[in-house]
Amino acid sequence: MSGHSKWHNIQGRKNAQDAKRGKIFQKLAHDLYVAAKAGGADPEMNASLRLVVDKAKAANMPKDNIQRALDKASGTGGTKFEEVTYEGYGTAGVAVLVEASTDNINRTVSSVRNSFKHFGGSLGTSGSVAFQFDRKGYLVIDRSENPDLDEDTILEAALEAGAEDVQTSDEAFEIYTEPSDFQAVEAALTEAGYEFADAEVSMIAQNPMAISDEDREKLDSLVDELEENEDVLAVYTTVED
């Protein structure tokens, strides 16, 4: 893995969005959906889901919102949702990957295409940018919450649990796994007493690129608009911190 800190980027966006309560709930709904799809909609049987449910409750996310995300993942209620991925380019040629779950493909693709157009980007064809990302399990231990942990201890524990790589920064220990190993690694480290600030299967840019502040502002506006779409689960880009 490269030395790029995904957690630093997450924290930067989170700090800018914390005032937007809807953003927080949307991120939690996404995480609930993904965890439930991967390991089932019962928190007692799914450690990843249990972690997200606890986060949702701590953020005072309404119970109806939590249940709606779980129902969407399990197909409860009879509405059929289809998972789709859209690929395109934002300002300065930054690759953008959009994951969505929708009951109306035409509505969703039209909305996503319009968002790209609003900020000078373009929606591409399937496979046009996906090759620039790797799907990885991703777990974060916040160092500010765990000041006594050292790099060697975390590295040994993570690798023994089956992790692929560990990156250390002043802010966090970032643990990467193969997607198929994510739940096992998370469960093993949780059992060992470690707590995570974030835990998900995510898309990691292979070669993050630098852009100007002006271009970043446009890209952030594109990402914000895409994330406000209720069908969108997650947005990934190849821009670096």
Side-chain angles (χ1 to χ4, degrees):
M1 300 293 296
S2 71
H4 175 70
S5 174
K6 175 179 169 65
W7 181 243
H8 182 78
N9 199 33
I10 288 173
Q11 288 294 82
R13 287 192 59 77
K14 180 179 181 299
N15 291 339
Q17 294 174 351
D18 269 350
K20 303 177 182 178
R21 194 171 186 80
K23 287 278 189 182
I24 299 172
F25 289 168
Q26 184 196 41
K27 175 63 167 63
L28 287 167
H30 159 256
D31 292 347
L32 287 164
Y33 177 90
V34 171
K37 286 288 286 187
D42 182 357
E44 296 302 317
M45 303 297 292
N46 183 341
S48 298
L49 179 60
R50 186 164 61 250
L51 174 67
V52 185
V53 169
D54 288 344
K55 286 183 179 180
K57 290 179 178 178
N60 295 316
M61 186 176 186
K63 291 182 179 179
D64 288 348
N65 292 36
I66 296 174
Q67 192 60 50
R68 190 178 307 119
L70 299 182
D71 289 346
K72 191 173 184 179
S74 62
T76 302
T79 302
K80 183 179 179 180
F81 287 89
E82 183 176 353
E83 293 184 29
V84 290
T85 299
Y86 300 107
E87 305 174 40
Y89 288 94
T91 185
V94 174
V96 181
L97 201 64
V98 183
E99 294 181 345
S101 176
T102 179
D103 59 347
N104 186 323
I105 291 289
N106 291 334
R107 177 193 68 221
T108 305
V109 69
S110 176
S111 178
V112 169
R113 181 182 290 110
N114 285 337
S115 292
F116 274 93
K117 288 181 177 178
H118 289 165
F119 300 100
S122 61
L123 190 62
T125 57
S126 177
S128 59
V129 306
F131 67 92
Q132 298 183 51
F133 297 85
D134 292 319
R135 183 172 290 277
K136 296 290 181 182
Y138 177 71
L139 305 105
V140 179
I141 297 174
D142 189 337
R143 297 191 74 172
S144 67
E145 299 292 332
N146 302 272
D148 297 329
L149 291 180
D150 64 84
E151 183 175 2
D152 290 341
T153 300
I154 294 297
L155 180 61
E156 181 179 359
L159 295 181
E160 185 175 327
E164 181 181 63
D165 187 32
V166 178
Q167 291 184 17
T168 302
S169 67
D170 292 339
E171 300 165 320
F173 298 106
E174 296 173 279
I175 301 166
Y176 293 88
T177 79
E178 287 298 323
S180 58
D181 297 331
F182 170 73
Q183 287 191 315
V185 172
E186 181 187 31
L189 292 176
T190 298
E191 187 174 346
Y194 295 103
E195 296 183 358
F196 304 109
D198 197 13
E200 62 181 354
V201 175
S202 183
M203 298 298 287
I204 311 295
Q206 295 173 356
N207 298 293
M209 60 185 291
I211 59 176
S212 69
D213 289 344
E214 182 180 354
D215 286 335
R216 178 181 290 274
E217 185 175 346
K218 292 179 182 178
L219 182 69
D220 286 347
S221 295
L222 167 60
V223 172
D224 284 345
E225 183 166 309
L226 287 168
E227 288 181 340
E228 287 168 2
N229 187 324
E230 64 179 12
D231 294 331
V232 170
L233 296 172
V235 182
Y236 307 100
T237 78
T238 53
V239 71
E240 69 176 20
D241 297 336

